[in-house]
Every structure is written in structure tokens, then in C-alpha cells.
Amino acid sequence: MGEALLAGALVLLVPQGEVQASLGAGPEAVGIVLVLVRRRFPEASAVALAALMGVEPAVAMLTAVAGYTAVRQAETVRRGAVLLLVAAAAAMVTGAVFAPLAGLGSSTFGLVLGAVLAITTVLVPGLAGVAWGQQDRLVRAWRERAAAAEEARRLADSESRMRERSRIAAEMHDLVGHRLSLVSLHAGGL
């Protein structure tokens, strides 16, 4: 939550030019809302923020936060990679489409701007998210393996106690049987 608030503050503090001022605070507000719901809908918020970044580059910090979170929460590395590629493509396409409309230049400039923003705010944080997500999955697997080993050790200890009790009971049975036969032998002799 802290990184989302920090990114939102940075977005609101970014100086706005004439084109961005004509759009109003709408894209930034949408971006802040999307980054706040990123844990519940990680993939949708990451792709939507990447597409919004093509329209309003000021939400790039929010896109980085959402991309990192989405890829870190991805179930597999492949799914995270696909998410990164889709988000990067969304940023590039919307940049190419909206750059001429916003008066930023040609669609080629928008495509290049979208590519630069996609690399710096989608791919780089996404790769960091992949690394941390892999680490989380490894730690979880190690914990599960340690719990299974502890359970196996506990079962082995329990089984060895049962075998020892059975051995002692068999010895006691043999000893009592021997003593009774001696008592019977002595009683017959008397």
C-alpha cells in the first residue's frame, strides 16, 4: 500500500504541459484507482495502466508498481512473461494511436515513446517481480518440504516407539510364561 501511495503522490506532483492539462486529472485519477485495486485484479490493472500510460505518460510510475505486483503474483513464470508482453504491446499501441491525437507528434514518435516507456516501466519492474516471485515460490516449496520432513520424522519416531513397546510386551509375555511354568514345575514337585 505504501508504494501505491508514493507512486500516486509522484504522479500528482509531475508537472503537466498544455496537452496534459487539457485532459484534466482524469487519467491520473484512473491510474491511482487502478493501482489501488492491483492486488485484487493484478493482470487487468497492469495491462490497463500500461494502455493508459500510452495516453498519459505521467502514470508510468503507477504502471511500474502494478507491473511488478502482477508479475510477482503470477502463478507461473510463463504467465508472467505473457503478461509483460501484453502490457508492453498495449503501451506501444496506445502510444502510437494517441500521440497524434494529443499533439505529441507522429504515430511513429508515439510508438517509440510507448516502447521506451514499456521497457522502463513494464519490463524492468516486471523482471524484478519475476525474480521476487520465484524466490517466494522457492521459499514456500522449502517450507512445505521442511514440514513434510518433520511429519515423516514424527511418524518414524512414533513407529519406532510402537515397535519398542511391542518388543517389551513380547519379552514380558515370554518372561511371565517362563516364570509360570517354573511355578507350575515347583508346585508339581512339592
Side-chain angles (χ1 to χ4, degrees):
M1 185 68 164
E3 70 270 7
L5 293 175
L6 179 62
L10 287 174
V11 166
L12 294 176
L13 293 176
V14 169
Q16 295 184 355
E18 293 176 23
V19 174
Q20 287 88 0
S22 68
L23 291 173
E28 289 89 355
V30 170
I32 291 172
V33 168
L34 284 171
V35 85
L36 289 176
V37 299
R38 77 188 186 286
R39 294 200 193 272
R40 189 170 200 64
F41 308 106
E43 293 149 349
S45 66
V47 172
L49 274 165
L52 184 63
M53 182 178 60
V55 176
E56 178 60 55
V59 297
M61 292 297 291
L62 299 176
T63 305
V65 170
Y68 172 81
T69 303
V71 173
R72 186 169 180 183
Q73 291 179 355
E75 296 165 2
T76 62
V77 176
R78 178 175 289 164
R79 187 172 179 135
V82 169
L83 173 67
L84 288 178
L85 292 176
V86 169
M92 292 169 52
V93 168
T94 56
V97 170
F98 283 98
L101 298 175
L104 294 175
S106 68
S107 60
T108 306
F109 176 76
L111 182 67
V112 171
L113 177 64
V116 169
L117 287 173
I119 290 170
T120 58
T121 63
V122 174
L123 295 179
V124 172
L127 292 176
V130 166
W132 282 104
Q134 278 295 98
Q135 181 179 4
D136 289 345
R137 285 187 283 281
L138 283 174
V139 167
R140 193 175 325 123
W142 288 339
R143 285 185 180 147
E144 290 172 1
R145 188 175 289 170
E150 179 66 27
E151 180 69 18
R153 186 195 59 78
R154 190 180 61 76
L155 288 174
D157 288 347
S158 175
E159 186 177 329
S160 68
R161 275 194 300 272
M162 291 299 289
R163 273 185 290 175
E164 185 64 22
R165 287 178 184 161
S166 295
R167 187 189 63 78
I168 291 172
E171 282 184 20
M172 292 295 292
H173 182 267
D174 292 345
L175 183 67
V176 168
H178 179 67
R179 293 284 181 181
L180 286 177
S181 65
L182 283 178
V183 167
S184 172
L185 183 70
H186 285 224
L190 289 174

